[in-house]
Amino acid sequence: MTLSAATGGYSPPVPRSSPPAISLAVDLVILTIRDGKLNVLLIERGKPPFRGRLALPGGFLEDGEDLDEAAIRELGEETNIEGRNLHLEQLRTYAAPGRDPRGRVVSVAYLAIAPDLPPPVAGSDAAASRWMPVGGHGPLAFDHDEILAHGVERARAKLEYSPLAAAFCEEPFTIADLRSVYEVVWGVALDPRNFHRKVNSVGNFVVPTGERRQPRSGRPAALYRRGQATVLHPAMLRPTKP
Amino acid sequence: MTLSAATGGYSPPVPRSSPPAISLAVDLVILTIRDGKLNVLLIERGKPPFRGRLALPGGFLEDGEDLDEAAIRELGEETNIEGRNLHLEQLRTYAAPGRDPRGRVVSVAYLAIAPDLPPPVAGSDAAASRWMPVGGHGPLAFDHDEILAHGVERARAKLEYSPLAAAFCEEPFTIADLRSVYEVVWGVALDPRNFHRKVNSVGNFVVPTGERRQPRSGRPAALYRRGQATVLHPAMLRPTKP
DNA sequence: GCAAAAGTGTTAATGTTACACCCATGT
DNA sequence: ACATGGGTGTAACATTAACACTTTTGC
């Protein structure tokens, strides 16, 4: 955001108005890849507002809970993630007045990346909960279209310089599995040969297990696990269009 | 964040506890460069808690206000920014229970980048408000050390792939001014010759005004304004140590 | 053998680094 | 003339991109 500060200048120190009553919620953008498409977990709202509309899973913060704890709890309520490693990061906070007709609801959005998960379970507020291809759903409840767009944008950007792509893969995985993540999330085709070398030249991005996996046809592929790298050197740069 | 989900599995749909009373605040990490050092705007708290301690400027959200609006308002109260362009972006939200002894205060942190600004004005909660070199101050109030660290880290990272560095510069600026930003924020020395070419090879990072500025001694330097680019291609990569 | 997918080699284009050298100015 | 920063040239090196080619499997 860049602004041409139009705030009308200096305001003298005055007592603040008493803060309005606020509810704090956590909403989750949970992404995975299913059938070669980027999918997001959506719920069908079982009660007003936006009854029957699709929405991101989420819920209100409980007493004494920190944001990460609430996000993990909601994740557990919406999906079967016991014992799995997954990526979870805070995305952004949304507080526009009127974004929730029930009143002043501030939502802290989280981005979660998971391998293809078992079918989700029904959540508390949810009449139904299911994976949907991103873009293959109507408008979402509240400002969730905007939140989802931010989440997808963040994921696309982080593929370049972080090992996030590996979070989409069930371990162990092949280089082709990993390449498919990049291709699906970025919506581009990558050269398998160059991709293979590039991934292996990045320090600690993936580590070979020594095992192999037989594809439907063709030479067996080496298997890998996620490495310890938190940033990629060099980065996996997105191909430039022109 | 990567976690080994230890949430104990599925929780049945239960009515949520009524949300606790929450106050929503906006805190600002305002960075600038003064005397060749990265500086942050801090206030000395005029009342408890943490009376007399340094803290990030900030305040509570007012009725009907969105987060960006509150951040801009606070910025106007703490600094003289009328008519200036500056960079402002949401950083992260902090809600750990106990982070504020007054109760459940959730803080949405913003990162602002500005050219060397005139001396700040006294804010509402502030006994004093001043620029301090980052690191050259004691521990801050609340969890503001953590927030500041996140802000600085974000700024360092964004110098690489965004034109953020130019937000530190008063327009018009020279290439050497811009280089100084990178050197100060990253804490490294850069080759002036290579830097010059690199900046000019990045599309729309800076645009020449056609004017020149005379340094204390030496050849006059060409002047530039910020370009329209939002991402840098190619990126201004940080030198690798080894 | 053939198809299919994995993986290696090679080369040209592009980007990065180090540093020699020239330019324009004040003293 | 000399010091001081601004700016260009150039060659070694690294990274990327395009694609020919080899490997290992199932049928």
Short mmCIF file of all heavy atoms in Angstrom, two decimals, chain B residues 186-239:
data_model
loop_
_atom_site.label_atom_id
_atom_site.label_comp_id
_atom_site.label_asym_id
_atom_site.label_seq_id
_atom_site.Cartn_x
_atom_site.Cartn_y
_atom_site.Cartn_z
N TRP B 186 20.70 -3.53 5.13
CA TRP B 186 21.28 -4.87 5.11
C TRP B 186 22.56 -4.97 5.95
O TRP B 186 22.99 -6.06 6.31
CB TRP B 186 21.59 -5.29 3.67
CG TRP B 186 20.39 -5.70 2.88
CD1 TRP B 186 19.15 -5.99 3.38
CD2 TRP B 186 20.32 -5.90 1.47
NE1 TRP B 186 18.31 -6.34 2.35
CE2 TRP B 186 19.00 -6.30 1.17
CE3 TRP B 186 21.24 -5.78 0.43
CZ2 TRP B 186 18.59 -6.59 -0.13
CZ3 TRP B 186 20.82 -6.06 -0.85
CH2 TRP B 186 19.51 -6.46 -1.13
N GLY B 187 23.18 -3.82 6.20
CA GLY B 187 24.43 -3.84 6.95
C GLY B 187 25.58 -4.42 6.16
O GLY B 187 26.44 -5.11 6.73
N VAL B 188 25.58 -4.18 4.85
CA VAL B 188 26.68 -4.67 4.03
C VAL B 188 27.16 -3.53 3.14
O VAL B 188 26.46 -2.53 2.96
CB VAL B 188 26.24 -5.84 3.13
CG1 VAL B 188 25.76 -7.02 3.95
CG2 VAL B 188 25.16 -5.39 2.16
N ALA B 189 28.36 -3.68 2.59
CA ALA B 189 28.86 -2.71 1.62
C ALA B 189 28.59 -3.25 0.22
O ALA B 189 28.77 -4.44 -0.03
CB ALA B 189 30.36 -2.49 1.84
N LEU B 190 28.18 -2.38 -0.67
CA LEU B 190 27.90 -2.79 -2.04
C LEU B 190 28.83 -2.04 -2.98
O LEU B 190 29.22 -0.91 -2.72
CB LEU B 190 26.44 -2.48 -2.39
CG LEU B 190 25.39 -3.16 -1.51
CD1 LEU B 190 23.99 -2.69 -1.87
CD2 LEU B 190 25.50 -4.67 -1.64
N ASP B 191 29.13 -2.66 -4.09
CA ASP B 191 29.99 -2.02 -5.08
C ASP B 191 29.19 -0.94 -5.79
O ASP B 191 28.19 -1.22 -6.45
CB ASP B 191 30.48 -3.07 -6.08
CG ASP B 191 31.45 -2.49 -7.09
OD1 ASP B 191 31.06 -1.56 -7.82
OD2 ASP B 191 32.59 -2.95 -7.13
N PRO B 192 29.65 0.33 -5.69
CA PRO B 192 28.88 1.43 -6.29
C PRO B 192 28.70 1.27 -7.80
O PRO B 192 27.65 1.61 -8.34
CB PRO B 192 29.74 2.66 -5.99
CG PRO B 192 30.63 2.27 -4.86
CD PRO B 192 30.86 0.80 -5.01
N ARG B 193 29.73 0.78 -8.49
CA ARG B 193 29.65 0.67 -9.93
C ARG B 193 28.60 -0.35 -10.35
O ARG B 193 27.71 -0.07 -11.15
CB ARG B 193 31.02 0.25 -10.50
CG ARG B 193 32.07 1.34 -10.46
CD ARG B 193 32.89 1.39 -9.17
NE ARG B 193 33.35 0.15 -8.62
CZ ARG B 193 34.61 -0.28 -8.65
NH1 ARG B 193 35.54 0.46 -9.22
NH2 ARG B 193 34.95 -1.39 -8.06
N ASN B 194 28.70 -1.54 -9.75
CA ASN B 194 27.74 -2.58 -10.13
C ASN B 194 26.32 -2.23 -9.68
O ASN B 194 25.35 -2.51 -10.39
CB ASN B 194 28.16 -3.92 -9.52
CG ASN B 194 29.42 -4.45 -10.15
OD1 ASN B 194 29.72 -4.12 -11.30
ND2 ASN B 194 30.17 -5.26 -9.41
N PHE B 195 26.22 -1.61 -8.52
CA PHE B 195 24.90 -1.21 -8.04
C PHE B 195 24.22 -0.26 -9.02
O PHE B 195 23.04 -0.39 -9.33
CB PHE B 195 25.01 -0.55 -6.67
CG PHE B 195 23.68 -0.18 -6.07
CD1 PHE B 195 22.99 -1.11 -5.31
CD2 PHE B 195 23.14 1.08 -6.26
CE1 PHE B 195 21.75 -0.78 -4.76
CE2 PHE B 195 21.91 1.40 -5.71
CZ PHE B 195 21.22 0.48 -4.96
N HIS B 196 25.00 0.67 -9.52
CA HIS B 196 24.47 1.66 -10.45
C HIS B 196 23.85 0.98 -11.67
O HIS B 196 22.70 1.27 -12.06
CB HIS B 196 25.61 2.59 -10.89
CG HIS B 196 25.16 3.73 -11.72
ND1 HIS B 196 24.89 3.62 -13.06
CD2 HIS B 196 24.91 5.01 -11.39
CE1 HIS B 196 24.51 4.79 -13.51
NE2 HIS B 196 24.51 5.66 -12.52
N ARG B 197 24.60 0.07 -12.25
CA ARG B 197 24.07 -0.60 -13.44
C ARG B 197 22.88 -1.48 -13.12
O ARG B 197 21.91 -1.54 -13.87
CB ARG B 197 25.16 -1.44 -14.06
CG ARG B 197 25.64 -0.86 -15.35
CD ARG B 197 26.81 -1.61 -15.80
NE ARG B 197 27.64 -1.92 -14.63
CZ ARG B 197 28.86 -2.38 -14.73
NH1 ARG B 197 29.37 -2.55 -15.92
NH2 ARG B 197 29.57 -2.64 -13.67
N LYS B 198 22.95 -2.15 -12.01
CA LYS B 198 21.88 -3.09 -11.64
C LYS B 198 20.56 -2.35 -11.48
O LYS B 198 19.53 -2.76 -12.03
CB LYS B 198 22.27 -3.77 -10.32
CG LYS B 198 21.67 -5.13 -10.13
CD LYS B 198 22.44 -5.84 -9.03
CE LYS B 198 21.77 -7.12 -8.59
NZ LYS B 198 22.54 -7.78 -7.52
N VAL B 199 20.60 -1.25 -10.75
CA VAL B 199 19.38 -0.47 -10.54
C VAL B 199 18.80 -0.02 -11.88
O VAL B 199 17.59 -0.11 -12.12
CB VAL B 199 19.66 0.74 -9.64
CG1 VAL B 199 18.51 1.74 -9.70
CG2 VAL B 199 19.89 0.30 -8.21
N ASN B 200 19.66 0.44 -12.75
CA ASN B 200 19.16 0.94 -14.03
C ASN B 200 18.70 -0.17 -14.97
O ASN B 200 17.96 0.10 -15.92
CB ASN B 200 20.23 1.80 -14.70
CG ASN B 200 20.22 3.22 -14.16
OD1 ASN B 200 19.24 3.93 -14.27
ND2 ASN B 200 21.32 3.62 -13.53
N SER B 201 19.13 -1.39 -14.69
CA SER B 201 18.71 -2.49 -15.55
C SER B 201 17.37 -3.07 -15.11
O SER B 201 16.74 -3.82 -15.85
CB SER B 201 19.77 -3.59 -15.56
OG SER B 201 19.69 -4.36 -14.37
N VAL B 202 16.93 -2.74 -13.89
CA VAL B 202 15.64 -3.22 -13.40
C VAL B 202 14.54 -2.32 -13.97
O VAL B 202 14.59 -1.11 -13.81
CB VAL B 202 15.59 -3.20 -11.86
CG1 VAL B 202 14.19 -3.58 -11.38
CG2 VAL B 202 16.63 -4.12 -11.27
N GLY B 203 13.60 -2.93 -14.64
CA GLY B 203 12.56 -2.15 -15.30
C GLY B 203 11.72 -1.34 -14.33
O GLY B 203 11.17 -1.87 -13.37
N ASN B 204 11.63 -0.04 -14.57
CA ASN B 204 10.72 0.85 -13.83
C ASN B 204 10.99 0.92 -12.33
O ASN B 204 10.07 1.23 -11.57
CB ASN B 204 9.26 0.43 -14.04
CG ASN B 204 8.82 0.70 -15.46
OD1 ASN B 204 9.08 1.77 -16.01
ND2 ASN B 204 8.16 -0.28 -16.05
N PHE B 205 12.18 0.62 -11.92
CA PHE B 205 12.50 0.79 -10.51
C PHE B 205 12.65 2.29 -10.23
O PHE B 205 11.98 2.85 -9.36
CB PHE B 205 13.77 0.02 -10.18
CG PHE B 205 14.17 0.02 -8.73
CD1 PHE B 205 13.34 0.51 -7.74
CD2 PHE B 205 15.39 -0.53 -8.35
CE1 PHE B 205 13.72 0.48 -6.40
CE2 PHE B 205 15.77 -0.57 -7.02
CZ PHE B 205 14.94 -0.06 -6.05
N VAL B 206 13.52 2.94 -10.99
CA VAL B 206 13.70 4.39 -10.85
C VAL B 206 13.64 5.02 -12.24
O VAL B 206 13.98 4.37 -13.23
CB VAL B 206 15.05 4.72 -10.19
CG1 VAL B 206 15.10 4.18 -8.77
CG2 VAL B 206 16.21 4.18 -11.00
N VAL B 207 13.19 6.26 -12.29
CA VAL B 207 13.15 6.97 -13.57
C VAL B 207 13.94 8.26 -13.42
O VAL B 207 13.79 8.98 -12.44
CB VAL B 207 11.70 7.27 -14.00
CG1 VAL B 207 10.96 6.00 -14.30
CG2 VAL B 207 10.95 8.05 -12.95
N PRO B 208 14.81 8.55 -14.40
CA PRO B 208 15.64 9.76 -14.30
C PRO B 208 14.80 11.02 -14.49
O PRO B 208 13.86 11.04 -15.28
CB PRO B 208 16.64 9.57 -15.46
CG PRO B 208 16.01 8.61 -16.39
CD PRO B 208 15.08 7.75 -15.59
N THR B 209 15.14 12.04 -13.73
CA THR B 209 14.43 13.31 -13.88
C THR B 209 15.11 14.17 -14.93
O THR B 209 14.51 15.14 -15.40
CB THR B 209 14.44 14.10 -12.56
OG1 THR B 209 15.79 14.46 -12.26
CG2 THR B 209 13.88 13.27 -11.42
N GLY B 210 16.35 13.85 -15.25
CA GLY B 210 17.11 14.70 -16.16
C GLY B 210 17.93 15.74 -15.42
O GLY B 210 18.86 16.31 -15.99
N GLU B 211 17.60 15.96 -14.16
CA GLU B 211 18.36 16.93 -13.35
C GLU B 211 19.60 16.26 -12.76
O GLU B 211 19.74 15.04 -12.80
CB GLU B 211 17.47 17.44 -12.20
CG GLU B 211 16.15 18.03 -12.65
CD GLU B 211 16.35 19.37 -13.35
OE1 GLU B 211 16.93 20.27 -12.72
OE2 GLU B 211 15.94 19.49 -14.52
N ARG B 212 20.45 17.09 -12.17
CA ARG B 212 21.64 16.59 -11.49
C ARG B 212 21.79 17.28 -10.15
O ARG B 212 21.25 18.36 -9.93
CB ARG B 212 22.89 16.89 -12.34
CG ARG B 212 22.82 16.19 -13.65
CD ARG B 212 24.03 16.36 -14.52
NE ARG B 212 23.90 15.43 -15.63
CZ ARG B 212 24.27 14.16 -15.54
NH1 ARG B 212 24.82 13.69 -14.44
NH2 ARG B 212 24.08 13.35 -16.57
N ARG B 213 22.52 16.62 -9.28
CA ARG B 213 22.80 17.20 -7.97
C ARG B 213 24.30 17.16 -7.72
O ARG B 213 24.95 16.16 -7.99
CB ARG B 213 22.07 16.44 -6.87
CG ARG B 213 22.46 16.90 -5.47
CD ARG B 213 21.90 15.99 -4.39
NE ARG B 213 20.44 16.02 -4.38
CZ ARG B 213 19.70 15.09 -3.79
NH1 ARG B 213 20.28 14.06 -3.19
NH2 ARG B 213 18.38 15.19 -3.81
N GLN B 214 24.79 18.26 -7.17
CA GLN B 214 26.22 18.37 -6.91
C GLN B 214 26.57 17.79 -5.54
O GLN B 214 26.04 18.27 -4.53
CB GLN B 214 26.61 19.85 -6.96
CG GLN B 214 28.08 20.09 -6.87
CD GLN B 214 28.82 19.35 -7.99
OE1 GLN B 214 28.36 19.33 -9.13
NE2 GLN B 214 29.93 18.73 -7.64
N PRO B 215 27.39 16.78 -5.46
CA PRO B 215 27.82 16.30 -4.14
C PRO B 215 28.86 17.25 -3.55
O PRO B 215 29.29 18.19 -4.21
CB PRO B 215 28.44 14.94 -4.45
CG PRO B 215 28.89 15.04 -5.86
CD PRO B 215 28.02 16.03 -6.55
N ARG B 216 29.23 17.00 -2.32
CA ARG B 216 30.23 17.87 -1.67
C ARG B 216 31.47 18.00 -2.55
O ARG B 216 32.05 19.06 -2.67
CB ARG B 216 30.63 17.30 -0.30
CG ARG B 216 29.59 17.58 0.78
CD ARG B 216 30.20 17.27 2.16
NE ARG B 216 30.61 15.87 2.28
CZ ARG B 216 29.80 14.88 2.61
NH1 ARG B 216 28.53 15.13 2.87
NH2 ARG B 216 30.26 13.64 2.70
N SER B 217 31.86 16.91 -3.11
CA SER B 217 32.95 16.98 -4.08
C SER B 217 32.74 15.87 -5.09
O SER B 217 32.19 14.83 -4.76
CB SER B 217 34.30 16.85 -3.38
OG SER B 217 34.85 15.58 -3.57
N GLY B 218 33.19 16.09 -6.28
CA GLY B 218 33.06 15.07 -7.31
C GLY B 218 32.03 15.43 -8.35
O GLY B 218 31.39 16.48 -8.31
N ARG B 219 31.91 14.52 -9.28
CA ARG B 219 31.02 14.71 -10.43
C ARG B 219 29.56 14.77 -9.99
O ARG B 219 29.15 14.03 -9.10
CB ARG B 219 31.24 13.52 -11.36
CG ARG B 219 30.34 13.44 -12.54
CD ARG B 219 30.79 12.24 -13.37
NE ARG B 219 29.86 11.95 -14.43
CZ ARG B 219 30.08 11.03 -15.36
NH1 ARG B 219 31.18 10.31 -15.32
NH2 ARG B 219 29.21 10.81 -16.30
N PRO B 220 28.76 15.62 -10.60
CA PRO B 220 27.33 15.70 -10.23
C PRO B 220 26.65 14.37 -10.53
O PRO B 220 27.00 13.69 -11.49
CB PRO B 220 26.78 16.81 -11.13
CG PRO B 220 27.94 17.53 -11.68
CD PRO B 220 29.10 16.58 -11.66
N ALA B 221 25.68 14.03 -9.70
CA ALA B 221 24.98 12.76 -9.85
C ALA B 221 23.60 12.99 -10.45
O ALA B 221 22.93 13.97 -10.12
CB ALA B 221 24.82 12.07 -8.49
N ALA B 222 23.20 12.09 -11.35
CA ALA B 222 21.87 12.17 -11.94
C ALA B 222 20.81 11.93 -10.87
O ALA B 222 21.03 11.16 -9.92
CB ALA B 222 21.74 11.14 -13.06
N LEU B 223 19.67 12.60 -11.02
CA LEU B 223 18.57 12.46 -10.04
C LEU B 223 17.47 11.58 -10.61
O LEU B 223 17.24 11.56 -11.82
CB LEU B 223 18.03 13.84 -9.68
CG LEU B 223 19.01 14.70 -8.87
CD1 LEU B 223 18.48 16.11 -8.70
CD2 LEU B 223 19.25 14.06 -7.50
N TYR B 224 16.79 10.91 -9.70
CA TYR B 224 15.74 9.96 -10.09
C TYR B 224 14.52 10.12 -9.20
O TYR B 224 14.59 10.68 -8.10
CB TYR B 224 16.26 8.53 -9.94
CG TYR B 224 17.41 8.20 -10.86
CD1 TYR B 224 18.72 8.54 -10.52
CD2 TYR B 224 17.20 7.54 -12.06
CE1 TYR B 224 19.78 8.24 -11.36
CE2 TYR B 224 18.25 7.23 -12.91
CZ TYR B 224 19.53 7.58 -12.55
OH TYR B 224 20.58 7.28 -13.38
N ARG B 225 13.41 9.64 -9.72
CA ARG B 225 12.19 9.47 -8.92
C ARG B 225 11.84 7.99 -8.88
O ARG B 225 12.36 7.21 -9.67
CB ARG B 225 11.01 10.23 -9.54
CG ARG B 225 11.22 11.72 -9.59
CD ARG B 225 9.97 12.45 -10.05
NE ARG B 225 10.26 13.87 -10.15
CZ ARG B 225 10.33 14.68 -9.09
NH1 ARG B 225 10.13 14.20 -7.88
NH2 ARG B 225 10.62 15.95 -9.24
N ARG B 226 10.93 7.64 -7.99
CA ARG B 226 10.46 6.25 -7.92
C ARG B 226 9.71 5.90 -9.20
O ARG B 226 8.94 6.71 -9.72
CB ARG B 226 9.51 6.08 -6.73
CG ARG B 226 10.18 6.31 -5.39
CD ARG B 226 9.25 6.00 -4.24
NE ARG B 226 8.59 7.20 -3.72
CZ ARG B 226 9.11 8.01 -2.80
NH1 ARG B 226 10.30 7.73 -2.28
NH2 ARG B 226 8.46 9.07 -2.38
N GLY B 227 9.95 4.70 -9.70
CA GLY B 227 9.24 4.24 -10.88
C GLY B 227 7.93 3.56 -10.50
O GLY B 227 7.52 3.59 -9.34
N GLN B 228 7.29 2.95 -11.48
CA GLN B 228 5.97 2.36 -11.26
C GLN B 228 6.04 0.88 -10.89
O GLN B 228 5.01 0.28 -10.57
CB GLN B 228 5.10 2.51 -12.52
CG GLN B 228 4.85 3.97 -12.93
CD GLN B 228 6.12 4.64 -13.46
OE1 GLN B 228 7.01 3.98 -13.97
NE2 GLN B 228 6.22 5.96 -13.30
N ALA B 229 7.21 0.31 -10.92
CA ALA B 229 7.33 -1.13 -10.65
C ALA B 229 6.84 -1.47 -9.25
O ALA B 229 7.02 -0.70 -8.30
CB ALA B 229 8.78 -1.57 -10.81
N THR B 230 6.18 -2.59 -9.12
CA THR B 230 5.80 -3.10 -7.79
C THR B 230 6.65 -4.30 -7.40
O THR B 230 6.73 -4.63 -6.22
CB THR B 230 4.32 -3.49 -7.77
OG1 THR B 230 4.09 -4.49 -8.78
CG2 THR B 230 3.42 -2.30 -8.06
N VAL B 231 7.22 -4.95 -8.40
CA VAL B 231 8.20 -6.01 -8.12
C VAL B 231 9.41 -5.76 -9.01
O VAL B 231 9.29 -5.18 -10.09
CB VAL B 231 7.63 -7.41 -8.41
CG1 VAL B 231 6.60 -7.80 -7.38
CG2 VAL B 231 7.06 -7.48 -9.81
N LEU B 232 10.55 -6.18 -8.55
CA LEU B 232 11.79 -5.92 -9.27
C LEU B 232 12.19 -7.13 -10.11
O LEU B 232 12.24 -8.26 -9.60
CB LEU B 232 12.91 -5.58 -8.28
CG LEU B 232 12.64 -4.40 -7.35
CD1 LEU B 232 13.88 -4.05 -6.56
CD2 LEU B 232 12.13 -3.19 -8.11
N HIS B 233 12.43 -6.91 -11.38
CA HIS B 233 12.95 -7.93 -12.29
C HIS B 233 14.14 -7.40 -13.03
O HIS B 233 13.99 -6.50 -13.85
CB HIS B 233 11.88 -8.36 -13.29
CG HIS B 233 10.80 -9.20 -12.71
ND1 HIS B 233 11.02 -10.41 -12.12
CD2 HIS B 233 9.47 -8.98 -12.63
CE1 HIS B 233 9.87 -10.90 -11.69
NE2 HIS B 233 8.91 -10.06 -11.98
N PRO B 234 15.32 -7.95 -12.82
CA PRO B 234 15.58 -9.01 -11.83
C PRO B 234 15.68 -8.43 -10.43
O PRO B 234 15.75 -7.20 -10.27
CB PRO B 234 16.92 -9.57 -12.29
CG PRO B 234 17.57 -8.47 -13.06
CD PRO B 234 16.50 -7.58 -13.58
N ALA B 235 15.65 -9.29 -9.44
CA ALA B 235 15.67 -8.84 -8.05
C ALA B 235 17.03 -8.29 -7.67
O ALA B 235 18.04 -8.60 -8.32
CB ALA B 235 15.30 -10.00 -7.13
N MET B 236 17.06 -7.44 -6.65
CA MET B 236 18.31 -6.92 -6.11
C MET B 236 18.76 -7.88 -5.01
O MET B 236 18.46 -7.67 -3.83
CB MET B 236 18.09 -5.53 -5.53
CG MET B 236 17.54 -4.52 -6.51
SD MET B 236 18.76 -3.95 -7.70
CE MET B 236 19.96 -3.21 -6.60
N LEU B 237 19.45 -8.93 -5.39
CA LEU B 237 19.77 -9.97 -4.41
C LEU B 237 20.85 -9.54 -3.44
O LEU B 237 21.80 -8.86 -3.81
CB LEU B 237 20.17 -11.26 -5.13
CG LEU B 237 19.02 -11.87 -5.94
CD1 LEU B 237 19.51 -13.11 -6.69
CD2 LEU B 237 17.84 -12.21 -5.04
N ARG B 238 20.64 -9.95 -2.20
CA ARG B 238 21.61 -9.70 -1.16
C ARG B 238 22.86 -10.50 -1.43
O ARG B 238 22.79 -11.66 -1.79
CB ARG B 238 21.02 -10.24 0.14
CG ARG B 238 21.01 -9.36 1.29
CD ARG B 238 19.80 -9.77 2.04
NE ARG B 238 19.94 -9.65 3.46
CZ ARG B 238 18.94 -9.92 4.28
NH1 ARG B 238 17.79 -10.34 3.80
NH2 ARG B 238 19.09 -9.76 5.56
N PRO B 239 24.04 -9.90 -1.23
CA PRO B 239 25.26 -10.67 -1.42
C PRO B 239 25.31 -11.83 -0.44
O PRO B 239 24.84 -11.73 0.70
CB PRO B 239 26.38 -9.67 -1.15
CG PRO B 239 25.75 -8.46 -0.57
CD PRO B 239 24.29 -8.52 -0.83
#
